[in-house]
Amino acid sequence: MAGHPTKTIIACRTLIEEFDSFRTCGMRIEALASGLHLHADRLRGALQERIDKVTGLTETIVVGYGMCSMGVIGLKAGQSTLVIPRADDCIGILLGTREAYKDALRKRPGTYFLSKGWIKAGITLVDDLQRMEARYGKHRAHLVMKRMLRHYRYLAFLDTGKPDEEGYRSFARKAAEMLGLTYGTIRGTRAILQKMVEGPWDGDFVVKAPGQQVTLNDFGMGNAGEVK
């Protein structure tokens, strides 16, 4: 693989915003459109297509998604090692552990999370509300949003300690007010992001040899096989 990157990271644009300070020589980042995690089959198809394009041209492919509604189940890289964070989704990646994620929801069930990446990408509920207002009018849009938020009580900004986050925290505070939710912050971490780039790929990651397929069992969910 001389002349090719030793490591390729495939991630959604919202998470790529968090990688800035970890970029290294010999690393390539491939961006996927935001929102694919809402549709597991579409996410799986997009990831596999991108993996197929770069496998054989890079030693390791790091997928910047968690399990994401089964969207990574069934993936495989024919000629590269495949690495995936052992997390439920990108919220879990930014919180660092499944335990931290569960603890956050246990303390405040009904929490809607925001991060710098989601705000910058324009895929927040505020953006959804503004698009609905433009299409359906303010009254109808707010009725729809109220139904969408019926199970939510809190809005939490994931603070990963970056110095440029104050403007995004301000957006999150205003978003909570607009959506009628109680605002708070949760301390996140960039540790998993750093390990995605630099290693070690330890127990926090699913690591599959070339040709091996990702299964639910890799995420501790029992005897589950391939997604057909």
Side-chain angles (χ1 to χ4, degrees):
M1 299 183 188
H4 294 293
T6 59
K7 185 187 302 97
T8 297
I9 295 178
I10 304 173
C12 67
R13 296 185 185 279
T14 56
L15 203 61
I16 285 173
E17 293 293 337
E18 305 288 345
F19 278 110
D20 292 345
S21 62
F22 299 134
R23 291 176 184 259
T24 62
C25 294
M27 181 180 83
R28 177 177 178 178
I29 292 182
E30 298 262 341
L32 293 185
S34 302
L36 286 172
H37 66 285
L38 299 175
H39 310 279
D41 290 340
R42 287 175 56 193
L43 173 59
R44 187 181 304 111
L47 282 169
Q48 190 62 63
E49 180 181 7
R50 197 64 63 92
I51 288 169
D52 290 344
K53 287 181 178 179
V54 300
T55 190
L57 302 177
T58 185
E59 293 178 9
T60 306
I61 299 173
V62 182
V63 175
Y65 289 85
M67 189 164 57
C68 290
S69 302
M70 314 298 177
V72 302
I73 306 303
L75 296 179
K76 61 181 177 180
Q79 301 176 59
S80 307
T81 299
L82 189 62
V83 177
I84 304 174
R86 191 173 270 116
D88 293 321
D89 51 32
C90 52
I91 297 169
I93 291 173
L94 293 176
L95 286 175
T97 66
R98 282 179 164 177
E99 291 70 26
Y101 198 173
K102 291 177 182 178
D103 186 56
L105 291 176
R106 185 168 51 249
K107 289 178 179 177
R108 288 193 169 182
T111 295
Y112 172 70
F113 295 91
L114 276 182
S115 73
K116 171 189 172 182
W118 293 316
I119 294 170
K120 193 169 182 179
I123 58 170
T124 72
L125 287 178
V126 171
D127 298 288
D128 290 341
L129 179 59
Q130 291 172 343
R131 285 189 283 267
M132 286 192 293
E133 286 180 351
R135 185 171 183 180
Y136 302 117
K138 190 170 184 177
H139 178 70
R140 185 178 175 188
H142 281 257
L143 287 177
V144 172
M145 183 58 65
K146 185 175 181 180
R147 287 196 292 270
M148 290 173 63
L149 290 170
R150 64 187 182 277
H151 299 303
Y152 291 94
R153 297 171 56 197
Y154 305 99
L155 186 152
F157 179 76
L158 294 172
D159 182 355
T160 59
K162 296 183 72 175
D164 62 345
E165 287 185 335
E166 180 52 43
Y168 300 99
R169 281 193 293 269
S170 178
F171 177 96
R173 282 191 291 267
K174 293 175 182 176
E177 182 178 353
M178 181 183 299
L179 299 171
L181 302 174
T182 300
Y183 173 75
T185 61
I186 294 180
R187 184 67 174 179
T189 176
R190 302 178 74 217
I192 298 297
L193 297 172
Q194 186 169 5
K195 286 166 71 173
M196 287 170 66
V197 175
E198 302 174 1
W201 299 317
D202 52 17
D204 291 330
F205 295 87
V206 174
V207 181
K208 308 298 285 189
Q212 291 185 338
Q213 191 173 52
V214 179
T215 71
L216 277 170
N217 195 50
D218 293 316
F219 290 87
M221 298 184 67
N223 293 322
E226 303 172 5
V227 173
K228 303 296 184 183

